[in-house]
């Protein structure tokens, strides 16, 4: 049996999660701390992929990465890199919102005290707020990984369904049912269910006090 | 003596504004006032956590903040001000042990270890080094918070309601430890409280804060004895605040007419014929012993009346006295505070007729009512 969808899914999800974790945390810090005009609009924009059908996210990516699009020169369309971009965009709101909530749950007076003890604002943030928000941030990372692993709609649009190249587990399930190979489909369904269940257990564990 | 802390500033905060003028040497200043009067905001402005609109803040001659309202000429960031700040809820770092918390602001690791054991000893925290904040009692948390602030060797220590969450024995002990520590360190301390007893116990100097403004600042005794405004008199517990008219004065006394009675107060700058507000603390209303001749010092301002109500407050009684020698139309005229032993010795009870003296030396005319 061809196990390439498993390794491909893990590779895509892993790279996408790194991207999501860095950018999502960055936006979370910005949105939790900075004040600027139009902040609520930016915040809504960052959450948008959560509410949009993944296929319309895929459509936008297709336009951007298409031959005449601004990122067309990269030539990433229908490669695993396009799947990474799709997973990144779709998982970003989860990471951003979880991390922001975690940062905001830390009492701001702790950072103030750290500053009165001689630490510049960034040190106070790194020493106090970041570690205290750590579990929440990690929960965001795991959720992002799970979301990236399950990405289907946008990936299908921009990466296609090329066996061994861009066929991830969700695509493999879809393909198997199309050709009536329920044995293959149910194998992948069990694999994804087990992974997803493990992730949810881990997130719950992190979020309990 | 040149002051160490100089703070003259103002700041608009929502619908009220802070207006601060204070100078402080190596002593404890208590900012005393009701909740919401802006005491905490004053501390935040001094520490740099809030930026005043205009004014000047200096510590040991170094300008920390200066602005004429248009242009900020100096504003030293919080972490360079060397001002210790102990928050009301302690704000201990929950992910660090007691030792890690205290060492956080330490600049010199080697010296820090030494200082840590001294502070643990002095703040009665020995043996708790490895504990986490959630394993500590309220009093211990407060001690850790103070030790942590002192580790950074501040030039000024700010304490926001340091005793409000502690029960009485814990509070008393901490108060005496703090006073001793302040003497050893010889740094100015500004302490915020809304509790009159704490203010009495802790301050060398007292500032009464009301509506964002320092109504009066001075030596503790002076403020307690001679409130300058009606609000100050009320906050410091003068209790008996009365209105009268100056009918005469000589080098020995000011004569005030109150309800057809002429009372004597110590000499003060007043105009004869003007209306005045005057006050007397409940512990300065003396109950005259009927079995003895009235002694010197309380022979002025005598009134007869009845005790109409009493409240036992533990170590003293609050008695409510209604004068029968004058008709005021109120349900009681004076509140009297009397120690429990005196209450028993005088065989007092509700309904009993007594003679009281409004002790002349304690009768104070409020200059700016």
């Amino acid at each position: 049996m061809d196990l390439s969808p498993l390794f491909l899914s893990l590779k895509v999800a892993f790279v996408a999660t790194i991207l999501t974790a860095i950018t999502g945390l960055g936006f979370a810090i910005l949105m939790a701390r900075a004040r600027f005009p139009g902040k609520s609009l930016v915040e809504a924009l960052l959450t948008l992929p959560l509410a949009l059908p993944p296929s319309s996210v895929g459509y936008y990516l297709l336009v951007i990465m298409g031959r005449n699009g601004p990122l067309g020169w990269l030539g990433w369309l229908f490669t695993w890199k396009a799947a990474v971009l799709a997973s990144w965009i779709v998982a970003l709101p989860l990471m951003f919102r979880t991390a922001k909530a975690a940062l905001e749950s830390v009492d701001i007076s702790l950072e103030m005290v750290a500053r009165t003890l001689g630490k510049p604002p960034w040190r106070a943030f790194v020493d106090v707020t970041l570690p205290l928000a750590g579990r929440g941030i990690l929960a965001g990372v795991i959720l992002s990984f799970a979301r990236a692993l399950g990405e289907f709609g946008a990936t299908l649009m921009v990466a296609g369904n090329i066996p061994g190249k861009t066929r991830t587990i969700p695509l493999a399930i879809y393909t198997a049912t199309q050709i009536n190979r329920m044995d293959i489909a149910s194998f992948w369904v069990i694999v994804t269910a087990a992974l997803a269940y493990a992730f949810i257990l881990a997130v719950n564990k992190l979020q309990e006090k | 003596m040149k002051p160490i802390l100089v703070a003259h500033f103002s700041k608009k905060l929502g619908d009220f504004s802070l207006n601060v003028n204070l100078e402080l040497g190596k002593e404890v200043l208590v900012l005393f006032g009701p909740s919401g009067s802006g005491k905490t905001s004053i501390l935040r402005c001094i520490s740099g956590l809030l930026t005043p609109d205009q004014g000047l803040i200096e510590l040991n001659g170094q300008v920390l903040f200066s602005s004429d309202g248009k242009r900020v000429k100096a504003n030293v960031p919080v972490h360079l001000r060397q001002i210790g700040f102990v928050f009301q809820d302690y704000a201990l770092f929950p992910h660090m042990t007691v030792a890690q918390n205290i060492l956080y602001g330490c600049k010199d690791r080697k010296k820090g270890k030494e200082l840590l054991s001294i502070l643990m000893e002095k703040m009665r925290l020995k043996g708790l080094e490895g504990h986490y904040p959630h394993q500590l009692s309220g009093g211990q948390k407060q001690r850790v918070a103070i030790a942590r602030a002192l580790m950074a060797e501040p030039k000024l220590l700010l304490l926001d309601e340091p005793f409000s969450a502690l029960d009485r024995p814990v509070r008393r002990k901490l108060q005496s430890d703090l006073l001793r520590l302040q003497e050893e360190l010889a740094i100015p301390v500004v302490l915020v409280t809304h509790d009159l007893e704490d203010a009495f116990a802790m301050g060398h100097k007292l500032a009464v804060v009301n509506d964002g403004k320092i109504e009066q600042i001075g030596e503790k005794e002076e403020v307690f004895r001679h409130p300058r405004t009606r609000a100050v008199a009320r906050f410091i517990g003068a209790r008996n605040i009365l209105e009268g008219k100056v009918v005469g004065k000589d080098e020995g006394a000011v004569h005030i007419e109150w309800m057809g009675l002429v009372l004597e107060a110590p000499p003060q700058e007043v105009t004869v014929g003007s209306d005045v507000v005057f006050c007397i603390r409940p512990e300065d209303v003396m109950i005259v012993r009927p079995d003895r001749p009235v002694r010197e010092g309380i022979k002025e301002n005598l009134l007869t009346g009845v005790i109409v109500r009493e409240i036992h407050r533990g170590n003293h009684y609050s008695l409510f006295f209604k004068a029968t020698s004058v008709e005021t139309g109120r349900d009681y005229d004076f509140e009297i505070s009397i120690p429990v032993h005196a209450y028993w010795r005088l065989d007092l009870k509700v309904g009993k007729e007594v003679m009281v003296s409004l002790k002349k030396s304690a009768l104070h005319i409020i200059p700016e009512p």
Side-chain angles (χ1 to χ4, degrees), chain B residues 231-275:
Chain B
V232 172
R234 214 170 53 235
F235 294 146
I236 59 160
R239 309 300 292 170
N240 305 303
I241 301 172
L242 310 161
E243 285 167 17
K245 190 188 195 83
V246 178
V247 290
K249 66 172 177 178
D250 48 50
E251 66 271 25
V254 173
H255 303 274
I256 305 165
E257 192 204 311
W258 173 76
M259 292 290 162
L261 209 71
V262 176
L263 303 174
E264 283 188 33
Q268 228 173 310
E269 271 307 316
V270 281
T271 321
V272 174
S274 60
D275 293 322

Side-chain angles (χ1 to χ4, degrees), chain A residues 110 113 115 117-119 127, chain B residues 79 87 91-93 95 104 148:
Chain A
L110 295 178
V113 161
R115 283 159 64 199
L117 293 168
K119 308 289 170 159
D127 287 348
Chain B
H79 64 280
F87 280 56
L92 296 181
F93 305 130
H95 58 308
Y104 183 73
R148 178 178 63 177

Side-chain angles (χ1 to χ4, degrees), chain B residues 45 54 88 95 106 118 139 168 175-176 190 205 273-274 283:
Chain B
C45 282
Q54 59 99 31
Q88 184 173 6
H95 58 308
C106 164
I118 296 172
R168 192 172 290 251
Q175 282 174 347
S176 65
V190 182
K205 269 180 152 181
S274 60
E283 60 269 26

